[in-house]
Amino acid sequence: MTAARLVRPRLLICIALLAVPASILGRVTKSPAAEPTPVILIQNATILTASHGTVERGSILIKDGKIAEVGASVKAPKGAQVIDAAGQFVMPGIIDCHSHIAVDGSVNEGSISVSSIVNIADVLNPDDVDIYRDLAGGVTVANVLHGSANAIGGQTIVIKLRWGLPASKLPFEGALPGIKFALGENPKRSNFSRGTPRYPATRMGVEETIRGAFTEARDYKATWDLYNKRTAAGEKNLISPRRDLRLDPLVEVLEGKRYVHSHCYREDEILMLLRVAKEFGFKVRTFQHVLEGYKVADEIAAAGAGASTFSDWWAYKVEAYDAIPYNAALMTRRGVVVSVNSDDAEEATHLNQEAAKSMKFGGLSHDEALKLVTLNPAMQLGIDKQVGSIDAGKAADLVIYNHDPLSAYAVVQKTLIDGRVYFDRQRDIADRPVHEREKKALLDKQKKAAEKKPESGDATKKPGEKKPEEKKEEKPKPPQSALVLGGGR
């Protein structure tokens, strides 16, 4: 809990009420998962499967939270809830491979260069309104990452945007955890004033920080492997090695049990991490941002690494000056599995349009562009057997649009996760007047309570006695923006 929350809770509550949209304030306390899973038939829709083309005037049958059937002649079983999507489009739920939503507190543990001990799963905030806003943009899955202040950052987690459920229900069941690496300006701290210097301060230092950590992890793993082997052989009275919480996640990387997602920009850094990964026998699952990936696409593809990039962001710092909007398409053409991510809660609300830009810049087909935010990120996160396309047996994570999702006119009508509707635009609009009244009533109540509260010291003040001059509270200086926003670009 921050100092501001302790000092001025009433003020913060008021600010929060003003900042949250009226359509959110009236969210019912009963979560969707508290109800039985409905049997749903979505019919008469243009279905964009992302795996086997388009089904015109098709239907999707959902049972037990999964897609049971997909086709042009699927019938509704008795008692099924029917959603008539005539003239509308259904696509797989959008998967954001680089997100910082749903994090309670700062996303960066920037004090040390190897912060693999910290875990984003420990600070998930299910009440973050960005979850609902991203649902309204068609996002169903997000890879929530630690920040980029460290050469080796914190542990990451894949979540489903189950708005209304507690934090324990957000993680994507069965998805392998990850860990955030970062290369370049952010970990060497060249894009903001350092205060107290911290190693590394150069790109060489970043490389050696990673190499040094994995050298320790390799030796640590060998010690434990020997202990386990001797224990399995029946040796008695052995003393186990000392646990090292900093090295445990790196051993999981070496064993293929944890994915590496690395923030990067420049081609030389990309090649450097590929060399280090080869040296220690692990794989880089995704290069994040990877704005110069088009220069070394062959090497990325040969290493089996994925690339999760921006559609057209560049020149916001020196590292990004060689970025081009053709990056996603060029890497795709060279055989890299590419996704387009947000790195930003607002950007995530229109990732469908971000994917569409690669049709103009690089000439990707409609299906190829759609995969940039559906099947490809699912493959990068190792969850493509569960989500990412509209196929029988996969989770019913679906989005219904009023126009083709890759059109600038497309607006989400419904977002489903595991066969439950978590966002419904018509219901949202219909409820807004009620929530506006509720919001106003709460603000009026808060205002009246503040007016009735006597000023401090008034009860004991004598007639004619002057009120002692109060000391003005010094406002704490805000932290440097680069430290606050270091989880992003």
Side-chain angles (χ1 to χ4, degrees), residues 17-220:
L17 288 169
L18 290 169
V20 176
S23 58
I24 310 300
L25 287 172
R27 185 187 64 173
V28 291
T29 54
K30 187 178 181 183
S31 69
E35 304 168 0
T37 307
V39 176
I40 298 175
L41 182 74
I42 303 172
Q43 63 182 16
N44 300 322
T46 300
I47 301 172
L48 309 173
T49 66
S51 59
H52 56 278
T54 299
V55 180
E56 300 290 347
R57 293 187 60 81
S59 299
I60 304 170
L61 180 62
I62 300 168
K63 289 182 178 179
D64 300 322
K66 295 188 180 297
I67 299 168
E69 290 183 67
V70 184
S73 57
V74 180
K75 303 297 182 184
K78 187 178 179 180
Q81 176 187 336
V82 177
I83 299 175
D84 188 1
Q88 298 181 334
F89 292 73
V90 183
M91 66 172 277
I94 290 173
I95 299 171
D96 188 355
C97 199
H98 190 127
S99 175
H100 299 290
I101 66 168
V103 176
D104 186 13
S106 177
V107 73
N108 256 320
E109 176 52 62
S111 57
I112 52 178
S113 57
V114 178
S115 62
S116 49
I117 56 272
V118 303
N119 196 334
I120 288 293
D122 295 334
V123 290
L124 286 179
N125 175 17
D127 294 323
D128 182 359
V129 70
D130 286 325
I131 297 174
Y132 185 83
R133 289 169 176 158
D134 287 3
L135 277 170
V139 181
T140 56
V141 175
N143 186 27
V144 184
L145 301 176
H146 184 269
S148 53
N150 322 77
I152 298 178
Q155 300 166 46
T156 69
I157 188 166
V158 180
I159 66 169
K160 285 201 176 189
L161 275 57
R162 299 181 178 116
W163 177 247
L165 299 189
S168 60
K169 299 296 183 182
L170 294 183
F172 191 119
E173 299 84 352
L176 280 187
I179 189 166
K180 175 78 174 288
F181 285 17
L183 314 176
E185 290 184 12
N186 289 18
K188 74 186 186 71
R189 298 186 166 188
S190 59
N191 56 352
F192 58 91
S193 56
R194 294 186 185 87
T196 304
R198 184 204 77 181
Y199 181 84
T202 65
R203 297 178 193 277
M204 297 178 294
V206 171
E207 176 178 357
E208 290 312 314
T209 295
I210 297 171
R211 178 175 278 108
F214 274 99
T215 300
E216 289 184 65
R218 184 173 57 189
D219 294 344
Y220 175 70

Side-chain angles (χ1 to χ4, degrees), residues 8 45 69 122 128 167 172 187 247 294 317 348 378 392 395 432 447 454:
R8 293 187 291 276
E69 290 183 67
D122 295 334
D128 182 359
F172 191 119
L247 296 178
Y294 65 95
K317 61 178 180 176
R432 287 177 190 178
K447 186 178 178 182

